[in-house]
């Protein structure tokens, strides 16, 4: 699984938060205090030919990130050989995340690719920001589906 660098949102740090330090964790080691919502999305395309377009659209949408109220930050990830891609996004609350979901650009991407694959997602709550823990938990959730499908010998289910 390949992941992008951490993309900071405007809500990443409040006054008094410890400044981040660069490192192997994608550029963020600092912790932001306060409750957070983390959304993990996983899209599996039905066709390899759609994957480059999905990735391009995801990176184009990411350009809005620094201006999204309530956005703490996000990673994009991709596993090209499995036709899978998605995001791990961190928010100050559900309202902020809902505003993003309703953005015309996001709606357009979802409408364009909805019938071309399978989407699954999970929302998790954290009491504080810890980038390493959030990524570790997201990766565990993303790979758990792989193990379950392999054990059952069944393809990914729609829904």
């Amino acid at each position: 699984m390949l992941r992008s660098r951490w993309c900071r949102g405007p809500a990443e740090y409040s006054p008094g938060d410890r400044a981040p330090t660069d490192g192997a964790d994608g550029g963020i080691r600092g912790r932001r205090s306060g409750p957070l919502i983390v959304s993990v999305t996983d899209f599996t395309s039905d066709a390899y030919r759609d994957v480059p377009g999905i990735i391009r659209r995801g990176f184009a949408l990411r350009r809005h990130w620094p201006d999204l109220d309530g956005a703490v930050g996000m990673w994009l990830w991709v596993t090209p050989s499995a036709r899978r891609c998605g995001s791990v996004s961190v928010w100050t609350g559900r309202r902020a995340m809902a505003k993003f979901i309703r953005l015309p650009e996001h709606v357009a991407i979802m409408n364009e690719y909805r019938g071309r694959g399978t989407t699954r997602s999970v929302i998790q709550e954290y009491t504080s920001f810890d980038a390493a823990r959030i990524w570790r938990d997201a990766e565990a959730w993303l790979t758990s589906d792989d193990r379950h499908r392999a054990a059952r010998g069944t393809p990914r289910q729609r829904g």
Side-chain angles (χ1 to χ4, degrees), residues 124-137:
Q124 300 169 326
E125 294 184 19
Y126 290 81
T127 57
S128 64
F129 181 76
D130 181 336
R133 177 177 173 219
I134 289 169
W135 179 258
R136 196 171 43 249
D137 291 351

Side-chain angles (χ1 to χ4, degrees), residues 111-130:
N111 288 340
E112 183 175 351
Y113 291 102
R114 180 172 284 121
R116 299 185 192 186
T118 305
T119 302
R120 70 185 190 114
S121 64
V122 65
I123 296 172
Q124 300 169 326
E125 294 184 19
Y126 290 81
T127 57
S128 64
F129 181 76
D130 181 336

Side-chain angles (χ1 to χ4, degrees), residues 44-73:
T44 301
S45 177
D46 291 338
Y48 285 106
R49 72 179 174 275
D50 288 335
V51 175
I54 296 165
I55 293 168
R56 274 194 308 275
R57 298 285 301 269
F59 273 99
L61 188 57
R62 178 182 145 149
R63 281 180 261 186
H64 290 280
W65 218 258
D67 301 318
L68 294 174
D69 288 338
V72 176

Side-chain angles (χ1 to χ4, degrees), residues 25-93:
D25 63 351
I28 302 299
R29 289 184 199 237
R31 297 179 193 274
R32 181 193 182 283
S33 60
L36 299 170
I37 299 296
V38 175
S39 173
V40 182
T41 60
D42 179 5
F43 179 79
T44 301
S45 177
D46 291 338
Y48 285 106
R49 72 179 174 275
D50 288 335
V51 175
I54 296 165
I55 293 168
R56 274 194 308 275
R57 298 285 301 269
F59 273 99
L61 188 57
R62 178 182 145 149
R63 281 180 261 186
H64 290 280
W65 218 258
D67 301 318
L68 294 174
D69 288 338
V72 176
M74 59 94 71
W75 292 280
L76 295 174
W77 64 269
V78 62
T79 306
S81 61
R83 304 180 320 277
R84 290 175 62 190
C85 58
S87 65
V88 177
S89 57
V90 184
W91 303 92
T92 57

